[in-house]
């Protein structure tokens, strides 16, 4: 038998000349038809690719050429880990994309909200957020350390057999596209507490914050007008931020400095009031200008607090943020309260804050510096809340989603105590989710 590559020869009388001409004609007509079809297909694909490139922002937002793409790192190249943006060694996953909600229209079209979540990679919490309040952000990114491993329950670390390793050693596709990896200079997994020296997360939140904000300013500044740092354990209401800045305050994000949230004033009276870390929001102008301050501030100081805007180990994120804003931009922390002096952001679970009584409890640190007549007990909190804090577990986050946005009478709503249920009812009515 002839090899497969050789032509197969058949012995016969052969076709007539007329038949030969007919076959040749059919062959060439078929060839021309195939060529036309392939040309049309190529043109169609070219148009599709061009359109996809131009309109890609309808599903994801590319962060720009200034980022260090990690697709090479995920394929095993470690050279990419040394590429740095101005933020100081920032790497992000697969083209540094940010997931975006495309339903922002109408009067809030120019009040888009960017949700920046400082994070230690925790798959359960990530998915709970993306299934709940994260869906309502116009842009949401999770900023996490490049070293990944172990099981996290809140701030408690449970060691696993897998141990710790850099994210680029995990298979491609392990991490969602809106996870941005920050090359921190301080490790998150080397803190202990208690007699048994139980391992806990060292969040080094100030370093992560300033590096993350520089990254956002360099890569995503044009994707929103309002930029909110949201703790992973805060249940966040992006639509209420829009209500607050547009309907209630009528602020201009491009020409005005704003830094707002739960205002805390219990520290040294010589120091600036600050916004609690649960939720802190900035205007576009504030982010644009403070990023330059962060780029140029001193880095790596190993001593204690000395009243300077600088990168420093064990620096308090809230206090250092307020110091940098005040000393360099003359921006003050603004309390997010309504006209009845009710807070838009809580620092504790709502069921607990609803019991805080200033008259009976006295002037403990939470009340220090708050104006007379500030809301308390069932009038503690605005009925269009921006952030409710201390919901650390995925189950808690999803329960909050059901209570505020689920079908009326669902099991998570029905489990609420009477006081909390009354507050939730007011919120749902104000937001129009009580239908």
């Amino acid at each position: 038998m002839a090899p497969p590559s050789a032509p197969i020869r058949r012995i016969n009388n052969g076709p007539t000349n007329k038949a030969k001409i007919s076959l040749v004609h059919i062959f060439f007509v078929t060839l021309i038809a195939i060529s036309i079809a392939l040309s049309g297909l190529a043109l169609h694909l070219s148009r599709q690719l061009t359109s996809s490139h131009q309109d890609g922002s309808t599903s994801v937002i590319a962060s720009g050429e200034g980022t260090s793409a990690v697709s090479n790192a995920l394929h095993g190249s470690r050279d990419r880990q040394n590429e740095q943006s101005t933020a100081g060694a920032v790497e992000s996953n697969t083209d540094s994309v940010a997931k975006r909600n495309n339903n922002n229209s109408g009067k809030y079209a120019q009040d888009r909200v960017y949700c920046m979540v400082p994070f230690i990679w925790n798959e359960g919490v990530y998915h709970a957020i993306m299934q709940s309040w994260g869906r309502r952000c116009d842009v949401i990114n999770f900023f996490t350390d490049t070293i990944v491993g172990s099981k996290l329950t809140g701030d408690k670390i449970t060691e696993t057999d897998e141990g710790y390793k850099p994210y680029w050693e995990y298979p491609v596709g392990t991490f969602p596209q809106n996870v941005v990896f920050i090359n921190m200079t301080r490790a998150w997994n080397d803190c202990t507490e208690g007699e048994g020296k139980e391992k806990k997360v060292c969040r080094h939140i100030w370093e992560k914050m300033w590096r993350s904000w520089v990254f956002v300013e360099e890569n995503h500044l044009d994707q929103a007008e309002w930029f909110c740092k949201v703790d992973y354990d805060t249940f966040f209401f992006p639509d209420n931020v829009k209500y607050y800045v547009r309907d209630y305050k009528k602020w201009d994000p491009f020409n005005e400095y704003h830094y707002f949230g739960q205002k805390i004033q219990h520290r040294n009276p010589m120091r600036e009031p600050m916004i609690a870390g649960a939720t802190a929001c900035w205007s576009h102008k504030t982010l644009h200008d403070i990023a330059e301050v962060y780029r140029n501030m001193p880095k790596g100081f190993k001593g204690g607090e000395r009243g300077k805007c600088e990168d420093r180990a064990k620096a308090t994120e809230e206090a250092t943020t307020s110091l940098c804003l005040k000393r360099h931009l003359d921006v003050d922390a603004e309390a997010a309260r309504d006209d009845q002096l009710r807070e838009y952001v809580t620092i504790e679970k709502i069921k607990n804050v609803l019991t805080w009584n200033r008259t009976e409890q006295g002037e403990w640190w939470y009340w220090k510096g708050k104006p007379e007549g500030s809301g308390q007990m069932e009038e503690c909190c605005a009925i269009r809340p921006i952030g409710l804090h201390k919901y650390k577990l995925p189950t808690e986050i999803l329960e909050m989603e059901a209570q505020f946005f689920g079908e009326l009478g669902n099991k998570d709503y029905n489990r609420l105590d009477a006081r909390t249920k009354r507050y939730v009812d007011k919120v749902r009515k104000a937001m129009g989710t009580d239908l």
Side-chain angles (χ1 to χ4, degrees):
M1 175 178 289
S5 59
I8 298 176
R9 303 184 65 183
R10 294 183 175 87
I11 300 175
N12 55 35
N13 293 327
T16 65
N17 288 338
K18 185 175 181 180
K20 288 180 179 179
I21 293 172
S22 178
L23 288 172
V24 170
H25 178 73
I26 292 171
F27 172 77
F28 279 108
V29 169
T30 303
L31 185 62
I32 291 170
I34 292 172
S35 299
I36 292 172
L38 289 175
S39 298
L41 179 61
L43 179 61
H44 174 71
L45 289 174
S46 176
R47 288 175 175 171
Q48 286 288 93
L49 287 171
T50 301
S51 174
S52 175
H53 176 73
Q54 292 175 342
D55 300 332
S57 61
T58 59
S59 59
V60 296
I61 302 170
S63 63
E65 296 178 359
T67 62
S68 307
V70 304
S71 55
N72 290 342
L74 287 170
H75 284 89
S77 170
R78 297 188 58 181
D79 293 335
R80 297 292 288 178
Q81 67 180 295
N82 295 320
E83 291 192 11
Q84 298 184 7
S85 77
T86 311
V90 176
E91 296 181 350
S92 56
N93 186 21
T94 54
D95 299 326
S96 303
V97 298
K99 292 194 174 180
R100 178 169 125 181
N101 171 3
N102 298 303
N103 297 320
N104 192 33
S105 59
K107 68 176 178 178
Y108 297 129
Q110 297 304 312
D111 292 294
R112 296 168 298 173
V113 175
Y114 186 110
C115 302
M116 190 274 275
V117 186
F119 208 52
I120 303 294
W121 175 246
N122 184 319
E123 186 174 5
V125 171
Y126 170 86
H127 288 298
I129 290 174
M130 291 305 299
Q131 291 167 22
S132 58
W133 61 262
R135 297 179 300 171
R136 292 182 282 274
C137 297
D138 293 291
V139 182
I140 180 169
N141 271 325
F142 295 75
F143 288 77
T144 190
D145 301 63
T146 57
I147 301 300
V148 179
S150 294
K151 178 183 177 182
L152 300 183
T153 305
D155 285 341
K156 179 184 177 182
I157 300 175
T158 302
E159 302 282 6
T160 62
D161 293 338
E162 188 177 52
Y164 304 94
K165 59 185 179 182
Y167 71 91
W168 59 80
E169 292 184 5
Y170 287 81
V172 176
T174 297
F175 304 104
Q177 290 184 326
N178 61 335
V179 174
V180 180
F181 290 94
I182 306 293
N183 279 336
M184 299 279 288
T185 62
R186 303 171 180 99
W188 66 268
N189 58 345
D190 61 355
C191 287
T192 58
E193 70 175 1
E195 293 183 4
K197 297 297 182 182
E198 182 180 80
K199 293 204 72 172
K200 67 181 290 287
V201 171
C202 317
R203 295 196 177 272
H204 300 297
I205 191 64
W206 167 236
E207 181 187 1
K208 183 173 290 183
M209 283 296 302
W210 74 257
R211 290 187 184 277
S212 298
W213 279 134
V214 171
F215 175 87
V216 174
E217 191 272 340
E218 291 179 349
N219 298 287
H220 296 161
L221 185 62
D222 64 342
Q223 305 304 336
E225 287 71 47
W226 302 96
F227 297 82
C228 295
K229 173 257 186 176
V230 186
D231 277 356
Y232 80 93
D233 58 344
T234 293
F235 193 87
F236 187 57
F237 297 80
D239 292 334
N240 289 345
V241 175
K242 299 174 186 182
Y243 164 83
Y244 181 76
V245 299
R246 173 62 49 203
D247 297 335
Y248 185 54
K249 289 294 190 178
K250 298 178 172 56
W251 282 342
D252 179 349
F254 294 103
N255 297 303
E256 299 172 1
Y257 286 128
H258 293 292
Y259 161 52
F260 61 97
Q262 168 77 246
K263 188 175 181 179
I264 303 296
Q265 300 177 205
H266 69 286
R267 285 172 56 88
N268 186 328
M270 300 302 293
R271 290 295 301 273
E272 298 78 10
M274 61 189 182
I275 296 300
T279 304
C281 296
W282 292 353
S283 63
H284 187 282
K285 179 177 176 64
T286 305
L287 175 56
H288 177 272
D289 290 0
I290 198 61
E292 185 65 15
V293 174
Y294 290 165
R295 277 189 285 267
N296 296 322
M297 70 184 178
K299 309 292 194 302
F301 181 64
K302 299 185 183 300
E305 185 172 345
R306 54 180 180 172
K308 293 185 66 174
C309 175
E310 61 184 345
D311 171 65
R312 177 178 63 81
K314 298 184 180 179
T316 304
E317 176 256 321
E318 297 100 324
T320 311
T321 297
S322 64
L323 183 150
C324 292
L325 286 166
K326 183 61 178 177
R327 302 285 175 88
H328 291 271
L329 303 179
D330 197 26
V331 175
D332 292 308
E334 299 174 86
R337 301 187 186 110
D338 66 12
D339 53 6
Q340 298 179 50
L341 300 182
R342 299 178 298 189
E343 300 286 351
Y344 278 85
V345 178
T346 72
I347 59 171
E348 180 52 85
K349 289 183 177 179
I350 186 62
K351 69 176 183 180
N352 297 330
V353 181
L354 289 167
T355 69
W356 290 356
N357 185 324
R358 189 173 194 174
T359 303
E360 294 183 3
Q361 294 175 331
E363 293 294 298
W364 59 289
W365 70 262
Y366 173 78
W367 296 109
K368 189 174 182 180
K370 292 187 185 297
E372 289 296 324
S374 291
Q376 57 182 318
M377 300 188 71
E378 291 196 44
E379 293 302 316
C380 66
C381 306
I383 58 173
R384 294 289 297 262
I386 289 174
L388 305 176
H389 192 45
K390 283 203 175 175
Y391 299 90
K392 293 182 178 294
L393 302 179
T395 52
E396 293 178 317
I397 296 169
L398 295 175
E399 285 169 2
M400 291 286 282
E401 176 72 10
Q403 290 160 10
F404 286 97
F405 294 93
E407 294 183 4
L408 294 177
N410 65 73
K411 60 182 178 62
D412 294 304
Y413 170 85
N414 288 336
R415 280 201 296 262
L416 294 170
D417 62 75
R419 182 186 291 109
T420 307
K421 191 176 290 186
R422 285 193 293 270
Y423 175 72
V424 170
D425 287 344
K426 294 176 186 177
V427 172
R428 292 187 65 129
K429 182 177 181 180
M431 296 192 305
T433 60
D434 61 335
L435 303 177

